[in-house]
């Protein structure tokens, strides 16, 4: 794992791409995988989107199997998905961000039940706090897809956010 990374005062805007085939790959502005004690702050991430493809795999900030992450005081905008927490992340705080203008969701939790995670549930998203954010113009709103039997995602707190014009 990569430990103790601080990403701050960045502007990331990779622009739209046309995937081939649609939805088979992830396209991200920031991808955290196997990271620990990471901070993303005071940055802008925008224009992470597909052209001609309606898949939700174009995400401005994506967490994958990471722990103790804090994402705060950022503007994340104009993308297919704002922040995605895909699988196996623990103790994430997402706070004080301005999230706006998304084709799909401003925030998407998907604790997938995949073969990498067997025996199920071995890759849950746990200990997540989504608080004090402003979310505006997100067609898919704020989504939590809880998969598995029982649901693999646990200890998720969503509170004190302001939502405008969300799906």
């Amino acid at each position: 794992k990569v430990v103790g990374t601080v990403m701050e005062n960045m502007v990331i805007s990779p622009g739209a791409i046309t995937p081939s085939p649609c939805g088979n790959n992830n396209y991200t502005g920031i991808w955290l995988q196997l990271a620990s004690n990471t901070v993303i702050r005071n940055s802008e991430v925008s224009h992470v989107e597909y052209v001609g493809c309606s898949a939700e795999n174009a995400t401005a900030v994506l967490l994958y199997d990471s722990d103790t992450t804090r994402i705060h005081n950022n503007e994340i905008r104009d993308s297919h998905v704002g922040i995605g927490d895909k699988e196996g992340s623990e103790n994430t705080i997402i706070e004080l961000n301005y999230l706006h203008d998304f084709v799909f969701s401003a925030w998407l939790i998907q604790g997938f039940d995949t073969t990498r995670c067997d025996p199920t549930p071995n890759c849950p998203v746990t200990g997540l706090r989504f608080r004090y954010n402003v979310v505006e113009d997100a067609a898919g709103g704020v989504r939590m897809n809880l998969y598995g039997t029982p649901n693999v995602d646990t200890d998720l707190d969503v509170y004190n956010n302001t939502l405008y014009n969300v799906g």
Side-chain angles (χ1 to χ4, degrees), residues 82-157:
I83 299 172
D85 202 337
K86 190 169 182 178
E87 179 176 295
S89 296
E90 300 175 350
N91 302 317
T92 301
I93 296 173
I94 301 169
E95 63 182 356
L96 303 168
N97 298 289
Y98 180 35
L99 307 161
H100 62 97
D101 297 301
F102 299 104
V103 174
F104 295 107
S105 302
W107 175 58
L108 177 61
I109 293 277
Q110 290 185 267
F112 286 114
D113 180 12
T114 63
T115 55
R116 184 186 74 82
C117 295
D118 284 335
T120 302
N122 198 31
C123 294
V125 173
T126 61
L128 189 138
R129 307 293 173 260
F130 185 80
R131 61 191 184 198
Y132 316 123
N133 299 285
V134 175
V135 177
E136 184 174 9
D137 296 323
V142 176
R143 278 187 36 201
M144 297 170 71
N145 293 339
L146 305 175
Y147 296 103
T149 308
N151 290 336
V152 296
D153 301 315
T154 61
D155 190 24
L156 307 176
D157 291 334

Side-chain angles (χ1 to χ4, degrees), residues 42-100:
N42 306 326
S43 296
E44 178 183 321
V45 184
S46 66
H47 298 99
V48 181
E49 53 198 334
Y50 288 146
V51 174
C53 175
S54 62
E56 293 180 271
N57 289 356
T59 306
V61 179
L62 180 64
L63 304 172
Y64 191 91
D65 208 11
S66 295
D67 67 83
T68 317
T69 303
R70 185 171 181 221
I71 301 170
H72 70 103
N73 200 39
N74 300 288
E75 181 179 6
I76 300 171
R77 63 183 180 85
D78 295 299
S79 297
H80 272 203
V81 175
I83 299 172
D85 202 337
K86 190 169 182 178
E87 179 176 295
S89 296
E90 300 175 350
N91 302 317
T92 301
I93 296 173
I94 301 169
E95 63 182 356
L96 303 168
N97 298 289
Y98 180 35
L99 307 161
H100 62 97

